[in-house]
Structures are given as structure tokens and as C-alpha cells.
Amino acid sequence: MDAFNIFLCGTGGQGIVLAGRIIATVAFKSGFEVRESEIHGMSQRGGTVTGHVRFGPKVYSPTIPIGQADIMLALEELEALRYCHYLKSQGVIILNQRQVLPSSLSSEEDYPKDIEERLKKKGFRIYKIPGSEIAKSIGSAKIENTVLLGVLSCFLPFKQEIWQEVLQKAVPPKTIEINLKGFAEGVKIGREFLQS
């Protein structure tokens, strides 16, 4: 097995760095060599944040070469379009249905309305999730990225028990229960995607 590559993208405050660390820890506890890196934009302005997680029997570099990511976990739609060149042909995009207006656009009218269509034209397999709505229905908008990690877990070769163990140690103790609920809901959605 060559290195498996996961590219994460979103905006400041969405929890990209924490999500990357959770994935990397799960991969390590599953017996793989892991490399991870992240790049921060100006988060106070909703700037870009990206993360690279690579795992396999041997991984030499923490950054994913362009065109080599197997999966993209996109917490924001425009960021998925901005960084889709990192994906392999036929790569998977787990796309959160969330739009954060970047400082480079003056109004919501300028935000592209055809992002999903553009990504599909490039040949990517897209799985759309209304992460924010699901998180709010469970009880907290703050667990949006946990829901998305649950979806992602269905595409990776790690045991659910390891995900749950790592998640419980990564989040504040008072939020463990709700995060596990959000993760479980994401797993349910991910399994439905794979069966369809």
C-alpha cells in the first residue's frame, strides 16, 4: 500500500487543525506511519485553513503532492473548489454544505452558485452533507466537524472503536457525549452513501 492521502480544507474557526490531528492519531493507533501538516490563513477574516494527513507503511513527506489526494474533507464549499487540484482523478470529496463569505468577495451575490456542478465536471465523486443542520439537530453547532469525521471514517480502514477512543480524548470532557452522538450520526450517513 502506498501512502493514503487526506486533504482537509475550510476557513478559520471550523476546526480543521483539530480534525487533522484526530485523523492522524487514529491512523497512528491503527498501526500506520503518519505524517501531518497544516497551513493557516488569516482566521480572523475567515481565511483559508488546510491540512494534509498521509498514512501508510512508510510515509516520507507530510505534504500531499498536487493531484495525489485520495479524499478531500471540505468544511466549506468554496474552499473545496479552490483546492480541488490536490485530488486524484475520480477522487472523493466529502462536501459540507456550508458557505462562508471570504473577504475577497464583497457580497453573497458574488459567491459562486455552481460549485457542485464545477466539481462534478472535473470528475470527482461528491458526497454532500448538511453538517451544520445535523449538528444543530443533535444539540450543538460546534460538533459540525465531528459529524463530518463520522462520514469520513466510513471511507478509511480504521476501526470505529479507535475513532471513538481518540475522539473522547480530543474534545473537552463536557462535550464527549454530544460529540460521540454527532460522530455516530456521521457514520450512519457515510454508510448510507457507500450502500447507494
Side-chain angles (χ1 to χ4, degrees), residues 9-120:
C9 59
T11 59
Q14 286 194 290
I16 292 287
V17 174
L18 178 60
R21 287 186 185 146
I22 289 171
I23 297 164
T25 304
V26 171
F28 179 75
K29 286 184 171 286
S30 299
F32 293 98
E33 185 168 296
V34 183
R35 296 284 182 268
E36 172 200 8
S37 73
E38 66 263 345
I39 298 170
H40 306 265
M42 293 190 64
S43 58
Q44 68 269 30
R45 294 189 181 178
T48 293
V49 180
T50 63
H52 300 239
V53 179
R54 311 185 74 203
F55 66 89
K58 196 73 183 166
V59 184
Y60 297 99
S61 167
T63 54
I64 301 168
I66 287 173
Q68 293 300 308
D70 297 280
I71 295 179
M72 171 186 279
L73 180 62
L75 273 69
E76 201 279 338
E77 294 180 33
L78 189 57
E79 298 303 317
L81 187 61
R82 188 190 315 267
Y83 290 103
C84 66
H85 59 281
Y86 272 94
L87 276 166
K88 289 179 175 177
S89 173
Q90 300 294 308
V92 168
I93 301 176
I94 296 172
L95 182 64
N96 188 26
Q97 292 176 267
R98 178 92 178 266
Q99 298 181 350
V100 177
L101 190 69
S103 57
S104 59
L105 299 180
S106 57
S107 75
E108 289 183 16
E109 296 300 315
D110 298 324
Y111 195 101
K113 304 289 187 254
D114 59 346
I115 290 174
E116 184 182 0
E117 289 73 22
R118 288 199 218 179
L119 292 169
K120 282 182 177 175

Side-chain angles (χ1 to χ4, degrees), residues 188-196:
K188 181 180 167 188
I189 293 165
R191 286 177 176 161
E192 287 172 358
F193 282 148
L194 292 175
Q195 288 169 1
S196 61

Side-chain angles (χ1 to χ4, degrees), residues 80-173:
L81 187 61
R82 188 190 315 267
Y83 290 103
C84 66
H85 59 281
Y86 272 94
L87 276 166
K88 289 179 175 177
S89 173
Q90 300 294 308
V92 168
I93 301 176
I94 296 172
L95 182 64
N96 188 26
Q97 292 176 267
R98 178 92 178 266
Q99 298 181 350
V100 177
L101 190 69
S103 57
S104 59
L105 299 180
S106 57
S107 75
E108 289 183 16
E109 296 300 315
D110 298 324
Y111 195 101
K113 304 289 187 254
D114 59 346
I115 290 174
E116 184 182 0
E117 289 73 22
R118 288 199 218 179
L119 292 169
K120 282 182 177 175
K121 282 181 183 174
K122 293 176 185 288
F124 303 126
R125 291 177 289 155
I126 300 166
Y127 298 93
K128 285 172 49 176
I129 299 99
S132 182
E133 288 177 26
I134 294 166
K136 287 174 185 173
S137 73
I138 293 168
S140 173
K142 293 180 179 179
I143 64 163
E144 181 177 22
N145 57 1
T146 308
V147 172
L148 294 161
L149 283 174
V151 176
L152 175 67
S153 74
C154 298
F155 292 80
L156 300 174
F158 311 136
K159 293 180 179 175
Q160 290 296 319
E161 301 78 43
I162 298 176
W163 280 101
Q164 291 168 12
E165 174 194 332
V166 171
L167 192 60
Q168 288 181 66
K169 291 179 181 174
V171 300

